[in-house]
Amino acid sequence: MIAVYFRFLKDRIWSILLYIISTVAFLEMYVALFPTFGSVAMDKINVLLDSYPKEIWTVFGLDPANLNFAKISTFVASEQYSIIWPIIVIVLGISLANSMISGEVEKGTIEQTLALPLQRWKIFMGRYAASVTLLAFFAFTTVYAIVPLAKLHKINLEGMNNLPLAVSGLLFGITVFSTACLFSALFSEKSKASFSTAGIVIALYGINIVGGLKADMAYLKDYSFFHYLNGATNIVKGEYVENYLPYFLGVSAVFTILALARFIFRDTSV
């Protein structure tokens, strides 16, 4: 299983680096723009933002009480880590899951993998562990990249809380990845596996929006991945969303067990 782990890491490390480079490039753009925002009339901008309905900000995981765009933490929370970053994590999670199973089935190389003198569960768990390692590498690198970038642009990072975002983002990524693993094990084509996972993610995003806009349906947010990755709560306040850990771990465990069972018992020739 260790050999499977390191082989999967070796085969995917360059693609992960490309994800990291592109994500950090987005972050650099926002960090470079921040001094421009800071030099204009931020008080007027904040007044304008305060005039918007509070529900708009809660949909994007932002706390209206902490919307002070004179701080870099609020700026990147709204621009990078509430929109761009989650999308990249979702794409990365689906890509890793597809490369674990459905991608090999589609290419016809899965039989070579299964010919190894290893039980199927060891192959699955070795690749799963390697994928989690890559997700952790991506999450912590792209979150903490703001430290050198801020120093480069001479920006004060006071009030920036990186760890809660990195941990929540990693667990968010693992949950999406685990969900994608099930569909990767169910289907023999990457397109079907990808669209199925994307459908689940879009539905959960819609649930999060509805829960944020309608007070009488706020409970719906508790069932969505997106509710537990909150830029304002994680970065600005340095806190975790309530019940984030049991939710992420519970959902990940369920989908991982189902994916493992399917992989062990499926006929890989179809």
Side-chain angles (χ1 to χ4, degrees), residues 85 89 131-140 143 163-177 229 248 252:
W85 198 74
V89 172
S131 297
V132 170
T133 301
L134 293 170
L135 284 169
F137 180 47
F138 171 85
F140 280 84
V143 168
L163 184 59
L165 176 67
V167 173
S168 297
L170 170 59
L171 293 175
F172 173 86
I174 292 174
T175 304
V176 173
F177 164 69
L229 179 63
F248 281 138
S252 298

Side-chain angles (χ1 to χ4, degrees), residues 31-162:
V31 173
L33 284 173
F34 179 73
T36 303
F37 278 80
S39 63
V40 299
M42 285 304 304
D43 291 339
K44 294 182 179 179
I45 293 177
N46 285 326
V47 170
L48 175 63
L49 296 174
D50 288 339
S51 67
Y52 293 150
K54 294 181 179 180
E55 290 78 9
I56 292 179
W57 301 112
T58 56
V59 164
F60 292 100
L62 297 171
D63 184 355
N66 293 300
L67 284 177
N68 182 1
F69 282 82
K71 294 183 178 180
I72 183 68
S73 57
T74 304
F75 185 69
V76 296
S78 62
E79 299 294 337
Q80 173 86 348
Y81 295 112
S82 292
I83 304 174
I84 300 297
W85 198 74
I87 293 175
I88 296 175
V89 172
I90 290 168
V91 173
L92 175 57
I94 294 175
S95 175
L96 287 171
N98 286 343
S99 63
M100 275 183 59
I101 306 173
S102 61
E104 284 205 3
V105 175
E106 188 174 74
K107 291 188 298 183
T109 58
I110 190 66
E111 297 300 335
Q112 299 174 19
T113 300
L114 296 180
L116 296 171
L118 286 173
Q119 295 173 298
R120 286 194 180 191
W121 74 267
K122 290 185 178 180
I123 295 174
F124 180 93
M125 293 309 300
R127 291 182 169 187
Y128 187 94
S131 297
V132 170
T133 301
L134 293 170
L135 284 169
F137 180 47
F138 171 85
F140 280 84
T141 301
T142 54
V143 168
Y144 279 91
I146 194 171
V147 176
L149 292 178
K151 289 184 178 180
L152 177 65
H153 294 280
K154 299 179 180 179
I155 297 173
N156 187 357
L157 279 179
E158 183 180 359
M160 175 71 69
N161 300 281
N162 301 85

